[in-house]
Amino acid sequence: MALAFMQKLSAWHLSRQSLKRAWSEWDYLVLDIETSGLDPKQDHIVSFGWVCIHKGVIELDTARHIVLDSAQIGDNVGIHMITDSDVLQQGKKQESVLRYLRHLLRERVLVMHHAPMELGFLKQAWQTEALATFSANWLDTLAIERTKANRAHQPIQDGGFRLGSCRERYGLPEYQGHDALTDALATAELLLAQIAYQGRDCRLHDLNQMGGGRVRLATR
Amino acid sequence: MSKVSSAKKENNKMAAIDIPEVHKFIETIPPFSSLSLPERKQLLTGVTMLYVRQGQTLILKDEAATVHLIRRGACEIRTPKGGLVDQIADGECFGVSSVMAQNPDGLQVVAMEDSLVYRFEKTRFMETLAQSEAFGLFFEHTQHNRLRKLSRSQSNELASPALQLSTPISHIMTRQLILATPEESVQTIAMRMTEARVSSILVVEGDKLTGIVTDRDLRSRILALGGSADSLVKEVMTQDPVNLRPDALVMQAQTLMSESNIHHLPIVDEEQRAVGMLTAADLLRHQELSPLLLINQIHRQQSIEELARVCKQWPTLIMNLIVTDMKPADVGKVLATVSDNLTRRVIELALDKYGPAPMAFQFLVFGSQARRDQSLGSDQDNGLMLEREPTEKESQYFADLSECICQGLGLCGIRLCPGNIMASNPEWRRTAVGWQQAFSTWIKSSAPSALLHASIFFDIRCVYDSGDKQGDAVNNLIKAMQLEVSKNSVFLATLTRTALASKPPLGFFRHFVLESSGEHKNQLDLKHQGLALINDLARLYGLSCKTYRAGTLDRIEQAIREKLISVDTARNLMDAWDKLNGLRLEAQGRHWQATGKASAYLDPKDLSSLERKHLKTTFSIINDVQDVAQQRFLRGYS
């Protein structure tokens, strides 16, 4: 019992220490989730999109767009452009996707735009699939942007923290599609831009302070 | 069965990189657009994306030694010394030479804007190069183009200080010596120095150098001590001055002069005979031809032929200014200062030749010299303002004097005016009243055709006043003219019509894109199709102001001050003027280096797509301001 506690403590200490390394020494997984609605209790995940960042650059061939076989498309087809036949042909089991994601997140920091929403759905899914407990560091590009605006005393209007509006401020291109994959890539680019503005010696620690944390995904 | 195969196809697509936004972009960019889908997928394997902050430098080695494609942003390619090779933007590639030739020149990439960049994986890129001929050819061409630009940028670097320091003194010293003997009086040598326009004189006995007297010696050893003008040279000279042999290097001379704190260094041969003189100014001039030194030289020349020889450096001076990235507006001001001084010196020499003028007169300049935006190969536009009506004899005097001045300026590189707007034309030698009448006629005539040729006179400045009145007569004329104009809305409307007669060549770019590969080499005349339009607009606004300004930017600023134009519109127009002027100077520089002739024509091949984009914006700004001017000055008249 005491040993386990000490191990945990030393792991925690190690992770605190390593937060001080340069941001580019970390690997990241930038995630976007399409869902059937806004409430994790009632609604469910339709698709995952992600792309990884390694040594400070986005590795485009790590990009994945995965539709779940459980996806119920219904009226939302107009939003994420996923059709019933996509689900039939390409649908994957949520459990295996989450296991894969867990595997990838063992050595990566999870990045999202507007974390509360994505994390809410992930927590719910974790319970549904009864997966083993798992913790991950995360960053939220929206929270980073909000902190930045607050620090600079620059009020940003309603809607100004939407992914597209944030990207516009950094001169990033306007993307047409809004599927989970495009949004994941868009978020990854936004993160690089935010970091570039922080300066070369930006650390994960700094980003964490602006908008990050640690999440515990548990079966409960 | 068909269902299975289509599902399989989908699965394949899933395996390879499949981000719609990436494909959508790459598909439209040559030469990637020439690749088949499998080829494109192969190339995209291993592609990464990076964000480069403005001002950040990428060094193309290790994993970065590969081809990059700009998704959004703009970058400059520079040599290790900072020489500009190319500017590129969205959809253009860099790092081609690092893949194809291991980047022998050590080129660097500097982000001019924040840039989002795709980085291709080197081996995949090489495979694609080997497989697709069109693809390979494109990059060979790109590389060839860059090499051409590289060699151009390196030839500019040739004049590096390191090379210049190893030049022997004999190449740059003055050989025409002003000499004195120890027994002469200081007054006689002071007169000789003044006449020769030098600040030092060498003292010789027999033919051996024994001393030197400088301006400073005359001041500190005679004047400051209340000494007599009859003092002898040997009493004030510095004996056995520090000297060097002609084969010493510039660097040695420089060191010696700064160590001994002297500005004049006599050059002697083995027998101690004076063979030359090297001044601090000579050294500076050698290092970098500066406008100040050219002006200095201009004032020291004693004949028009000598002036013409000195003015041969004019293009080099302009090239230097362009290479040092001076702001175009400042280049214009510097050149105007040089040409004003040149004009004054030519007038002085002409007065020496024909004797003092029988009455006070002012020398007027019009057009670009008046606006202070001259460049390489500008022609002269000038006139005389006389104190009173000349007699027949006086008239002949001014005819001869003007002819001498205009031809002299021509010899010095300011071309004769093809429209004969020159002081040598009796039409443009007038009294104050005569000039007033001329302006009145132009202002009252509402025929745009009359104004088209006269508008150049509304850019007017006095560069020489023989009567020491600093051009008061001309300033009064200008004040009267401005007052008359600013209240005359009919005239302003006419002026507007002529200013709006030409439109910026916005269609040029479409044209260029369509025909660049054919026989039609479209060229853009930056002066007449761009700058002249802005000058016209600025003149229009300037003349509607209460206060007269001659320069284009000054006029726009004055119009802001008098609230005739919105700050936004004005700033846009000023930016456009700057941009076009910069491009013109660059184009002229290139053209001069290649052919020895000045030309404001721009070869579209020399433009990067970024520059093309800028130029297009620039032209649409002119177009917009023309619309604004039409609203303001033509309402009720058109």
Side-chain angles (χ1 to χ4, degrees), chain B residues 242-305:
Chain B
V242 177
N243 58 65
L244 268 184
R245 297 282 153 79
D247 58 354
L249 301 185
V250 165
M251 197 181 70
Q252 291 172 282
Q254 216 164 31
T255 324
L256 186 63
M257 285 164 85
S258 73
E259 273 171 8
S260 329
N261 191 26
I262 53 173
H263 295 108
H264 302 89
L265 187 64
I267 312 299
V268 296
D269 64 12
E270 291 87 342
E271 266 93 40
Q272 204 60 24
R273 281 185 299 229
V275 292
M277 172 63 112
L278 190 68
T279 64
D282 292 325
L283 281 178
L284 266 176
R285 180 165 48 247
H286 168 68
Q287 259 176 5
E288 191 181 318
L289 178 65
S290 86
L292 228 57
L293 288 164
L294 182 56
I295 291 172
N296 187 332
Q297 282 182 315
I298 283 170
H299 282 288
R300 284 192 352 215
Q301 304 314 311
Q302 297 300 326
S303 71
I304 289 186
E305 289 69 33

Side-chain angles (χ1 to χ4, degrees), chain A residues 60-81:
Chain A
L60 290 181
D61 44 9
T62 60
R64 289 290 177 276
H65 191 195
I66 300 176
V67 181
L68 297 185
D69 63 356
S70 57
Q72 286 161 20
I73 302 309
D75 293 341
N76 281 323
V77 63
I79 300 173
H80 38 60
M81 300 305 282

Side-chain angles (χ1 to χ4, degrees), chain A residues 58 60-61 65 176-177 189 197, chain B residues 14 21 46-49 114:
Chain A
I58 304 171
L60 290 181
D61 44 9
H65 191 195
Q176 298 304 313
E189 291 172 3
Y197 270 74
Chain B
M14 289 297 289
E21 293 293 340
V47 74
T48 57
M49 200 169 198
D114 289 357

Side-chain angles (χ1 to χ4, degrees), chain B residues 143-212:
Chain B
Q143 196 196 9
H144 174 75
N145 245 340
R146 293 265 160 78
L147 284 176
R148 202 166 48 86
K149 290 181 181 173
L150 177 65
S151 71
R152 207 162 63 202
S153 107
Q154 277 171 344
S155 68
N156 285 342
E157 287 172 2
L158 268 182
S160 78
L163 280 169
Q164 293 177 344
L165 290 175
S166 59
T167 315
I169 295 175
S170 56
H171 286 199
I172 60 166
M173 68 186 188
T174 310
R175 289 167 193 279
Q176 284 142 346
L177 298 177
I178 311 299
L179 300 175
T181 61
E183 305 301 328
E184 284 183 88
S185 76
V186 290
Q187 183 166 29
T188 49
I189 66 157
M191 281 163 60
R192 200 175 308 147
M193 286 164 73
T194 308
E195 201 177 338
R197 291 166 178 262
V198 296
S199 53
S200 71
I201 193 163
L202 293 178
V203 186
V204 290
E205 271 185 287
D207 52 10
K208 302 239 187 319
L209 178 74
T210 57
I212 185 171

Side-chain angles (χ1 to χ4, degrees), chain B residues 41 45 82 95 188 201 271 484 511 548:
Chain B
K41 279 186 176 171
T45 310
T188 49
I201 193 163
E271 266 93 40
E484 193 172 348
H511 216 51
Y548 180 83

